[in-house]
Amino acid sequence: MYFDRIRETALIAAMATMAGGVAAAQTEVKIGYALAPDSHYGVAARKWQDVVEAETDGRFTFRHFPSSALGGEREVIEGLQIGTIEATIVSTGTLSNFVPETGVTDIPFLFRSLDHARHVLDGPVGQEILARFDDAGMVALAWGEQGFRHITNNRNPINTPEDLAGMKLRTMENPVHLSAFNALGAAPTPMAWPEVIGALQQGTIDGQENPLSVIVSAKLYEVQKYLTLSGHVYSPAMLLVSKPFWDGLSDEDKAAFGKGAKEAVVAMRAYVDNVESSGVATLRERGMEVNALSEEQKEAFRASIESAYEDYYKTYGKDLIDRISETR
Ligand code: PAF
């Protein structure tokens, strides 16, 4: 009896140690992103989590902070740099403030199609840009995407650059986008994403621009009347982890995060492909008035930003821009 009690106590102690050991060995990865769980960011973040958890036998677990719960994209990136946030999925629109070379991907009318963009970003140019992130306190594991950006507004349909005259259009806090909309004659208003829906509701801005993936998942049809399919710029995204966090990982765990990021990109691109073909019908059903720019109409927009291209050549080098446009 006495020995049974001792054995029982020892067993309980061993189980408690094991439970404590498992809890202590499990690392939580805080992942922050700007959009809802059912967006392309949410889908990719969950895929990333599934692969990492499976590959590491659950030694890592993800905690999601969707819908800007940790602040705007700028704050989340700063969190990665100092190591208070481990991972994010974020647009390049914000990243060029941290790694200026990224801005070349934000140049309007540079990418011809999703295939062209994916080809460039998965190829040497894209990989060279990813490698720049280490110096900025982050590790860039893969290129995701949002799709091509289009203009929404509450003032009028847009068919020509003149229709944008003086329009208070929210842009990302991104110098490349800003100079393009200035050249087009709009009144671009850089603003962090968490403020945008409120500003549209209150009428302090007339419109904004984002891909269908965002317009649908963020329900912009509730606050915007007109959608112009301008496709003026491709919008890449990136899957990033904090460098302080990365430096503490074993090679095996780094491989798990890398594999997860690649599979997340596949899921994200499939989401974008789907919304690019179904999104317009959804938005029309929700009451938006939609017009698509013809190739001739787009040409007028391209011509209007010719002066901005001179700045882009100076900033990023004509060679690099040509390398991108010549990629087949
Ligand atoms: O417009 C933006 O700021 C970005 O496209 C968004 C919606 C935050 C997604 O990265």
Side-chain angles (χ1 to χ4, degrees), residues 4-303:
D4 281 353
R5 274 304 288 243
I6 292 184
R7 232 191 334 264
E8 198 182 327
T9 311
L11 195 65
I12 290 168
M15 282 167 66
T17 310
M18 271 168 63
V22 169
Q26 200 169 44
T27 303
E28 185 180 84
V29 175
K30 290 186 285 309
I31 180 162
Y33 42 94
L35 299 165
D38 65 355
S39 68
H40 47 305
Y41 284 7
V43 164
R46 277 196 305 283
K47 177 52 107 177
W48 199 1
Q49 163 177 17
D50 290 348
V51 174
V52 170
E53 288 183 358
E55 292 283 315
T56 63
D57 296 323
R59 280 182 294 103
F60 289 87
T61 169
F62 277 46
R63 183 158 168 216
H64 293 246
F65 294 88
S67 308
S68 307
L70 297 175
E73 292 191 323
R74 188 183 271 274
E75 284 82 42
V76 172
I77 295 165
E78 286 164 358
L80 253 69
Q81 289 180 311
I82 57 173
T84 53
I85 300 170
E86 285 77 28
T88 188
I89 301 176
V90 71
S91 67
T92 54
T94 312
L95 284 168
S96 57
N97 295 304
F98 295 84
V99 179
E101 292 85 345
T102 317
V104 73
T105 64
D106 295 319
I107 296 180
F109 301 113
L110 179 59
F111 293 105
R112 295 179 296 277
S113 63
L114 291 177
D115 274 353
H116 175 216
R118 292 171 184 178
H119 213 126
V120 171
L121 299 177
D122 294 343
V125 171
Q127 302 314 297
E128 284 159 27
I129 298 174
L130 292 187
R132 300 295 171 121
F133 278 72
D134 283 29
D135 295 341
M138 294 170 269
V139 177
L141 291 178
W143 287 99
E145 72 182 6
Q146 308 209 77
F148 278 88
R149 298 179 85 89
H150 306 292
I151 302 169
T152 66
N153 83 95
N154 282 331
R155 204 183 73 175
N156 51 263
I158 296 161
N159 291 293
T160 66
E162 290 70 40
D163 294 329
L164 273 174
M167 184 177 284
K168 280 183 265 142
L169 194 80
R170 177 268 176 176
T171 65
M172 283 190 280
E173 296 159 300
N174 176 295
V176 173
H177 289 188
L178 259 175
S179 59
F181 281 104
N182 271 321
L184 283 164
T189 313
M191 188 182 281
W193 173 250
E195 293 161 39
V196 174
I197 296 192
L200 289 170
Q201 269 163 342
Q202 284 156 20
T204 48
I205 49 173
D206 300 310
Q208 63 85 52
E209 47 81 61
N210 251 304
L212 292 171
S213 56
V214 177
I215 301 170
V216 172
S217 68
K219 301 189 172 62
L220 288 179
Y221 48 81
E222 290 178 352
V223 288
Q224 292 278 263
K225 182 163 169 43
Y226 303 104
L227 164 63
T228 299
L229 298 170
S230 48
H232 52 279
V233 66
Y234 174 72
S235 192
M238 268 190 192
L239 284 81
L240 298 165
V241 292
S242 154
K243 183 130 169 47
F245 169 71
W246 182 257
D247 287 344
L249 296 181
S250 66
D251 287 350
E252 196 192 14
D253 292 340
K254 284 179 182 165
F257 275 84
K259 181 172 182 214
K262 285 202 175 63
E263 291 194 25
V265 167
V266 174
M268 199 176 192
R269 288 177 177 174
Y271 183 109
V272 169
D273 283 337
N274 181 43
V275 77
E276 292 273 319
S277 56
S278 64
V280 170
T282 308
L283 295 169
R284 282 203 166 108
E285 271 164 32
R286 308 282 165 152
M288 287 191 95
E289 203 174 289
V290 185
N291 71 297
L293 295 185
S294 66
E295 273 316 306
E296 291 74 30
Q297 287 172 321
K298 275 193 188 173
E299 204 40 58
F301 283 78
R302 266 190 215 107

